[in-house]
mmCIF file of all heavy atoms in Angstrom:
data_model
loop_
_atom_site.group_PDB
_atom_site.id
_atom_site.type_symbol
_atom_site.label_atom_id
_atom_site.label_comp_id
_atom_site.label_asym_id
_atom_site.label_seq_id
_atom_site.Cartn_x
_atom_site.Cartn_y
_atom_site.Cartn_z
ATOM 1 N N ASP I 531 66.523 98.193 164.804
ATOM 2 C CA ASP I 531 67.422 98.746 165.831
ATOM 3 C C ASP I 531 67.896 97.643 166.764
ATOM 4 O O ASP I 531 69.069 97.592 167.137
ATOM 5 C CB ASP I 531 66.686 99.814 166.657
ATOM 6 C CG ASP I 531 66.662 101.146 165.925
ATOM 7 O OD1 ASP I 531 67.454 101.296 164.957
ATOM 8 O OD2 ASP I 531 65.865 102.024 166.315
ATOM 9 N N TYR I 532 66.986 96.748 167.101
ATOM 10 C CA TYR I 532 67.301 95.669 168.032
ATOM 11 C C TYR I 532 68.392 94.769 167.462
ATOM 12 O O TYR I 532 69.383 94.451 168.113
ATOM 13 C CB TYR I 532 66.032 94.864 168.323
ATOM 14 C CG TYR I 532 66.223 93.890 169.462
ATOM 15 C CD1 TYR I 532 65.914 94.268 170.779
ATOM 16 C CD2 TYR I 532 66.724 92.612 169.233
ATOM 17 C CE1 TYR I 532 66.113 93.394 171.817
ATOM 18 C CE2 TYR I 532 66.926 91.735 170.277
ATOM 19 C CZ TYR I 532 66.607 92.129 171.567
ATOM 20 O OH TYR I 532 66.803 91.267 172.612
ATOM 21 N N VAL I 533 68.177 94.410 166.160
ATOM 22 C CA VAL I 533 69.146 93.512 165.528
ATOM 23 C C VAL I 533 70.489 94.207 165.379
ATOM 24 O O VAL I 533 71.557 93.631 165.617
ATOM 25 C CB VAL I 533 68.603 93.031 164.172
ATOM 26 C CG1 VAL I 533 69.684 92.275 163.399
ATOM 27 C CG2 VAL I 533 67.376 92.150 164.391
ATOM 28 N N ARG I 534 70.454 95.486 164.977
ATOM 29 C CA ARG I 534 71.704 96.234 164.831
ATOM 30 C C ARG I 534 72.454 96.311 166.157
ATOM 31 O O ARG I 534 73.664 96.185 166.205
ATOM 32 C CB ARG I 534 71.417 97.642 164.315
ATOM 33 C CG ARG I 534 71.450 97.734 162.797
ATOM 34 C CD ARG I 534 71.703 99.162 162.358
ATOM 35 N NE ARG I 534 70.710 100.070 162.893
ATOM 36 C CZ ARG I 534 69.551 100.348 162.297
ATOM 37 N NH1 ARG I 534 69.273 99.804 161.130
ATOM 38 N NH2 ARG I 534 68.687 101.172 162.846
ATOM 39 N N ALA I 535 71.667 96.495 167.231
ATOM 40 C CA ALA I 535 72.303 96.570 168.555
ATOM 41 C C ALA I 535 73.036 95.272 168.847
ATOM 42 O O ALA I 535 74.141 95.279 169.412
ATOM 43 C CB ALA I 535 71.253 96.852 169.627
ATOM 44 N N GLY I 536 72.457 94.161 168.424
ATOM 45 C CA GLY I 536 73.143 92.875 168.588
ATOM 46 C C GLY I 536 74.453 92.863 167.841
ATOM 47 O O GLY I 536 75.496 92.430 168.348
ATOM 48 N N MET I 537 74.437 93.390 166.615
ATOM 49 C CA MET I 537 75.662 93.405 165.810
ATOM 50 C C MET I 537 76.718 94.323 166.414
ATOM 51 O O MET I 537 77.914 94.032 166.379
ATOM 52 C CB MET I 537 75.353 93.866 164.386
ATOM 53 C CG MET I 537 74.585 92.835 163.566
ATOM 54 S SD MET I 537 74.167 93.459 161.932
ATOM 55 C CE MET I 537 75.747 93.364 161.118
ATOM 56 N N ILE I 538 76.226 95.434 167.033
ATOM 57 C CA ILE I 538 77.176 96.341 167.662
ATOM 58 C C ILE I 538 77.863 95.646 168.825
ATOM 59 O O ILE I 538 79.070 95.754 169.016
ATOM 60 C CB ILE I 538 76.442 97.633 168.124
ATOM 61 C CG1 ILE I 538 76.002 98.426 166.882
ATOM 62 C CG2 ILE I 538 77.343 98.482 169.030
ATOM 63 C CD1 ILE I 538 75.028 99.543 167.183
ATOM 64 N N SER I 539 77.068 94.866 169.562
ATOM 65 C CA SER I 539 77.648 94.147 170.690
ATOM 66 C C SER I 539 78.661 93.106 170.245
ATOM 67 O O SER I 539 79.673 92.880 170.899
ATOM 68 C CB SER I 539 76.541 93.450 171.477
ATOM 69 O OG SER I 539 75.691 94.413 172.062
ATOM 70 N N VAL I 540 78.373 92.441 169.111
ATOM 71 C CA VAL I 540 79.311 91.442 168.609
ATOM 72 C C VAL I 540 80.698 92.047 168.480
ATOM 73 O O VAL I 540 81.712 91.442 168.837
ATOM 74 C CB VAL I 540 78.843 90.910 167.231
ATOM 75 C CG1 VAL I 540 79.973 90.129 166.551
ATOM 76 C CG2 VAL I 540 77.611 90.048 167.373
ATOM 77 N N ALA I 541 80.747 93.301 167.991
ATOM 78 C CA ALA I 541 82.026 93.902 167.667
ATOM 79 C C ALA I 541 82.558 94.807 168.759
ATOM 80 O O ALA I 541 83.738 95.154 168.735
ATOM 81 C CB ALA I 541 81.901 94.697 166.364
#
Side-chain angles (χ1 to χ4, degrees):
Chain I
D531 279 344
Y532 190 92
V533 171
R534 269 202 303 272
M537 288 177 75
I538 291 168
S539 295
V540 166

